[in-house]
Structures are given as C-alpha cells and as structure tokens.
Amino acid sequence: MRILFASLGSLGDLFPMLAMAQALRARGHTPAIAAPAAYEARITALGLPFHPLRPDFPPEVLTYIFGDPVHGGKRLLAETIFPHARETYADLLAAAQGADAMVVGELIYVAPLVAAKLGLPWANAMLAPTTLMSALDPCVLTRFPAAYHLRHLGTWPQRLLFRLMRRATNAWAQPLLALQEELGVHTGNIIFEGKFSPHLVLALFSPAFGALQRDWPAASVQTGFPFLAQTPAPETAARIEAFLAAGPAPVVFTLGTTVVHLAQDFYQVAADTALALGRRAILLMGRNPPPRAPADQVLALDYAPHGSLFPHAAAVVQHGGVGGCAEALRAGVPVLTIPVGFDQPDNAERLRRMGVGAVLAHTRVNRETLERSLAAVLADVAMAARAGAVAASMDPEADMGHTVDAIEAMVRRAQARSGV
C-alpha cells in the first residue's frame, strides 16, 4: 500500500506521522511524507520520500502564533492556514498522485477536496482530545477557559460555545470556502464536522488520557499514543550518559520545539529553582543562552529526544504539548506542566486529573512559584506511584499495531468497494 502522510505545524505535529510511516514501512508498505520544506532533511534522513507542503512554518511564524495564547488560534487559522488553502491544495494534490490513501494532521483542511478529486480514502490523525470537539468531555480551551468550569451544568454550555466557534472559524475560512465552491465539494463546518473523514478518524492517545466519547465522529478508532523512535546525536548522548552517571536523577525542563522560542528567562529561573531544591537538572533549551549554573549540577542541551531523558528523571517540567505528555506518561514520572496555548491547558488538566501531575499557569511563573510547585510534585509519593502505574499499563508497540491495522483496514475497504 502507498500511504501519504501530510502534516502542517510544528515538529510535535510531524513526529507522530513519522512514527506511523515507519511502522507501515516495517509491514512492507510504501509511506511518503508531505510537510513544510523546513522539515525535508529530517524526513529524508529517515529514508522516507518527501513532498513539500505549503505554508511553511519557520520558527518566527510559530513564535508569532504562540506569542498570543488567547488569539493564537486566529493567528494560526485566519492568518496562516486558510489564506494559503489553494497552495496547500495544489501541493497535497501533487503529493497524493499514485497513493492508495492519505493520513492527514489536524491542519490539513483541504484533505476532503484532494480525496474527492482523486477518489482516495483518507484518515484524520487526531493527537489530543481537544481536536475531537466533544461536548460530553469538555476541554480547557485557551480562548474560553471559563467554559470548562461550567461542565457540571451538562453539555449545553459546551454546545453553545461550539456554536459561537463555528461562526467565527467559518468566517476566517473564506478562502477555503471559496475553493470548496469552485471545486463543488462542500464539507460544512470547517474545524468541526467538516474536517473529519468518513473513512477513519484515528484518536491517537490513551483512553486513560481521554476516553472515547459517544459524540466523536462515527469513524473514530482509538488506538494510543504514537512514539517516534529517536536517538540523541552521539556527542549529546555521551554528555547525557556522563551527567546521569555522576549523580542522582535530575529534573528535566523542556518547552518543546515551539514554546522554547518564547522562553525569555525561564531556563535561568529553572536552573536556580533546581539548585535551591538541592536537585540536579537537565535543560532542553533550543537556541536560548545557557544559564549561569555549575556544570556538574545543570546540563544545558539544545535538544535531545524526550524518550532518552524522561525515564531517568525525578520529575519533568514541561509545557503541555501532547507529545511531551505522552512521553512523561510512558516514562512513569510525575509532571509539572506550564501550559501556554492551544491544546496545552487541556492536556495539563488531564494529567492533573489522572493524578500524575500538577499545573502552574505560565503567567505566574517566577522563582518562588516554580520552586513551590516543583517541590510539591517531588514530595508527592502518591503522584509518583500513580505515574508508575500508568506507565505499566501502557503498551506502545501494541497501540501502534492497532493504528497500522486501522489504516490497512481502511484501504482494504476502499479497494473492496472499487473492485481492486
């Protein structure tokens, strides 16, 4: 089977696609990746065919989008995704030539148009519960956080909120709606019902993180978190190994690959906090300047795969991206989450409800609040035990197997219908 995976956004959006592509390749299929040009080298290094997909997402664009958590959604959709709908459609149409199916990320709103043009089955890859828009499982939404606290009133507050969001997002989507009109393919509400495939909607997270809901799309199949196998660069791996061997388990601080561009003085505060608590620390800092701290107590790295660090941590302080949440759950370590925007506040709340983490608002981060919050997480024996129990219940290899099974079944159904 020839499967095209398409992703727009950050590395956090791309990594699950790469993980699924590698799993399909291991079963003898032929995957390819369509993604922004900035990711070409990373994709081809894995031996996967690459197709460019506009718009590009350089760091300055991601920084602009995340720089305003309240209005970030509008910046992403109305100013970045929808104005480039025609380019995205043209690129995806070209990439999908000869494919047997597509698997697309959250922001590929032109997928129904390409699928209709080529007669392809296609699947959504939904990475977090917020993307499934359930009124039965209310999420913490950055733009309307107060709505979450009305969940005890039933589903009507969430349904009212969704109605308002439909109006706003459909107004932002005029370039895409014009393209739909031109092609004669009408999907309805763009980021609600209209974005979901009738063939397969993959809920790529653990039921413990977000249980299947009756109001999810009819084609939903919940499998589990997809983990991309990565190893640090040799020099980085050597530094990590030496640091871990030299003392007790450190606290790992990370802001992912996007929020890290908004770090300001966070990493200096993080280093000072760890030292004040008598803890060692590993900081994943991107291109931020290293903090003033003893090298034997604080290891500053630009990047390392979370899977290579989190299992060795006493705790993780992170921003709430679903990939980091998944890695923390797999590692079985307690988490302090400092969410900024998009799905991060809801992901943080889900970890808190699971009893494996605590939440600190990013607007309240300073040396005092970070030290107090982290000390509480490190001292919570019950939290650490629950984190370990969750990790023991996870089976990432089986989950990926279920994901690949679902994609294969989708293609076989389409081939049976067409008589292939």
Side-chain angles (χ1 to χ4, degrees):
M1 296 178 184
R2 295 160 297 178
I3 312 296
L4 176 68
F5 292 87
S7 175
L8 288 173
S10 69
L11 286 172
D13 298 291
L14 177 64
F15 284 169
M17 299 298 189
L18 300 180
M20 290 186 285
Q22 288 184 320
L24 275 160
R25 184 171 59 185
R27 286 205 187 175
H29 302 301
T30 305
I33 306 292
Y39 303 140
E40 179 176 4
R42 186 180 293 270
I43 293 165
T44 56
L46 298 176
L48 294 166
F50 169 79
H51 301 274
L53 189 64
R54 292 169 289 178
D56 290 331
F57 277 80
E60 57 269 23
V61 170
L62 291 170
T63 301
Y64 170 71
I65 291 168
F66 275 86
D68 185 342
V70 174
H71 301 101
K74 185 174 183 179
R75 289 182 173 185
L76 173 64
L77 298 177
E79 301 180 32
T80 308
I81 295 296
F82 294 139
H84 295 280
R86 290 181 181 273
E87 291 112 322
T88 308
Y89 172 78
D91 291 347
L92 187 62
L93 184 64
Q97 299 295 322
D100 295 307
M102 297 187 300
V103 179
V104 305
E106 165 71 14
L107 300 176
I108 314 294
Y109 298 113
V110 300
L113 308 182
V114 173
K117 179 73 172 179
L118 299 179
L120 286 180
W122 63 288
N124 299 105
M126 301 286 98
L127 304 181
T130 51
T131 61
L132 285 155
M133 301 297 186
S134 172
L136 299 174
D137 182 21
C139 296
V140 182
L141 300 176
T142 305
R143 190 159 184 165
F144 306 101
Y148 178 75
H149 302 291
L150 301 177
R151 63 193 184 280
H152 64 283
L153 299 177
T155 62
W156 73 262
Q158 201 76 359
R159 295 187 189 282
L160 176 60
L161 176 59
F162 287 169
R163 186 179 305 171
L164 297 173
M165 291 173 64
R166 283 184 179 94
R167 290 181 183 176
T169 53
N170 282 344
W172 301 343
Q174 289 307 308
L176 177 56
L177 293 171
L179 180 60
Q180 289 186 354
E181 185 69 27
E182 181 180 314
L183 297 173
V185 179
H186 302 283
T187 63
N189 292 298
I190 298 299
I191 71 163
F192 286 82
E193 298 83 2
K195 73 178 180 182
F196 292 118
S197 169
H199 307 120
L200 177 62
V201 177
L202 291 166
L204 296 174
F205 46 85
S206 165
F209 191 69
L212 188 149
Q213 300 296 321
R214 296 192 310 277
D215 60 348
W216 283 6
S220 295
V221 175
Q222 186 167 27
T223 55
F225 294 113
F227 293 99
L228 177 63
Q230 301 181 81
T231 55
E235 180 183 350
T236 300
R239 294 179 66 192
I240 292 171
E241 182 178 1
F243 187 80
L244 292 174
V251 177
V252 175
F253 295 82
T254 176
L255 296 177
T257 59
T258 298
V259 178
V260 70
H261 298 295
L262 304 171
Q264 298 180 354
D265 65 345
F266 172 78
Y267 286 105
Q268 184 64 59
V269 173
D272 292 342
T273 297
L275 294 173
L277 293 173
R279 297 280 182 165
R280 304 195 314 149
I282 296 179
L283 314 179
L284 302 184
M285 304 183 51
R287 296 181 179 178
N288 289 289
R292 299 177 300 278
D296 63 332
Q297 296 297 306
V298 176
L299 175 62
L301 304 171
D302 57 352
Y303 173 78
H306 292 168
S308 68
L309 290 180
F310 286 11
H312 308 289
V316 169
V317 179
Q318 52 108 29
H319 65 301
V322 70
C325 293
E327 289 287 6
L329 290 172
R330 179 169 67 156
V333 294
V335 187
L336 175 62
T337 306
I338 304 171
V340 176
F342 292 93
D343 61 325
Q344 297 164 14
D346 187 67
N347 296 337
E349 173 61 16
R350 289 175 186 275
L351 294 181
R352 189 198 66 77
R353 290 202 318 250
M354 291 171 69
V356 301
V359 183
L360 174 61
H362 78 278
T363 54
R364 297 184 59 244
V365 173
N366 56 45
R367 166 67 186 283
E368 179 184 355
T369 57
L370 185 58
E371 182 175 336
R372 183 169 61 247
S373 299
L374 181 55
V377 167
L378 290 166
D380 195 329
V381 176
M383 182 183 290
R386 284 190 291 270
V390 169
S393 71
M394 295 175 65
D395 189 341
E397 185 175 349
D399 290 343
M400 182 58 80
H402 297 324
T403 298
V404 174
D405 289 344
I407 296 170
E408 289 177 333
M410 174 188 70
V411 179
R412 287 196 296 268
R413 288 193 300 268
Q415 291 174 341
R417 287 193 297 269
S418 63
V420 175

